[in-house]
Amino acid sequence: MNPSLKFAATISVSAIFGAVISDLLAKVLTPKKCNPSCLIVIHMIRFSSLEKVFAFKELCEELANACYGGASDCLSFELSTRVDDELELIAFERYAKSGYFKDDHDLLQALELTDREESGILAYEVKRYVETDLGHMERGL
């Protein structure tokens, strides 16, 4: 092959590769914005025993799978244990629209936990928020 053509081909491939890498990096490194119409629902739950916590986590697994499977308008579902008290959990839900629920959303009703005493639930509180478009909710580790 002609050395001039080989050099030109190498430069062309390098330029194309550089442009592709640059475009990918721009997409990955650009923070994604929140949607100010998204609804955040936080459920704070306190249980009487670890046995009841584990049972609740099993029930929530189906909801989480439905969320990530695209079965609802739920964009995120996360169940977290308090660092210094394993009997206290929060369930964090993020929905595409702030008007997703006409009434207050009750996770316990959704899980069909009508008897709080039997379920070991000592306290339950729900708070609803709307995103402000400050920061981003989609950054990975």
Side-chain angles (χ1 to χ4, degrees):
M1 178 182 236
N2 181 334
S4 297
L5 288 176
K6 186 175 180 182
F7 178 74
T10 302
I11 296 297
S12 295
V13 168
S14 295
I16 291 170
F17 183 72
V20 168
I21 293 298
S22 179
D23 186 52
L24 285 173
L25 284 174
K27 288 178 182 173
V28 170
L29 297 177
T30 302
K32 296 179 180 179
K33 289 292 191 175
C34 296
N35 181 345
S37 66
C38 283
L39 172 69
I40 304 296
V41 182
I42 298 176
H43 308 268
M44 293 166 279
I45 313 151
R46 178 150 189 80
F47 290 90
S48 59
S49 70
L50 285 177
E51 176 185 35
K52 299 298 184 180
V53 169
F54 295 136
F56 184 78
K57 285 180 178 180
E58 286 180 20
L59 289 173
C60 286
E61 187 173 353
E62 187 176 327
L63 284 179
N65 290 338
C67 169
Y68 292 113
S72 71
D73 283 340
C74 185
L75 302 172
S76 303
F77 178 88
E78 180 65 42
L79 190 63
S80 301
T81 305
R82 186 170 153 179
V83 173
D84 59 349
D85 185 353
E86 294 181 6
L87 297 178
E88 192 172 312
L89 304 176
I90 62 166
F92 174 95
E93 297 176 284
R94 182 175 181 248
Y95 292 90
K97 300 175 195 159
S98 62
Y100 187 75
F101 296 106
K102 292 180 182 174
D103 300 319
D104 284 341
H105 176 50
D106 187 326
L107 181 63
L108 303 183
Q109 286 180 348
L111 294 171
E112 299 178 4
L113 295 174
T114 53
D115 188 341
R116 290 186 185 190
E117 187 176 328
E118 182 181 315
S119 303
I121 297 169
L122 301 176
Y124 176 66
E125 184 179 0
V126 180
K127 294 190 178 194
R128 299 161 46 108
Y129 302 86
V130 176
E131 288 185 358
T132 62
D133 200 25
L134 292 173
H136 50 90
M137 295 296 294
E138 300 176 27
R139 183 176 176 188
L141 294 175

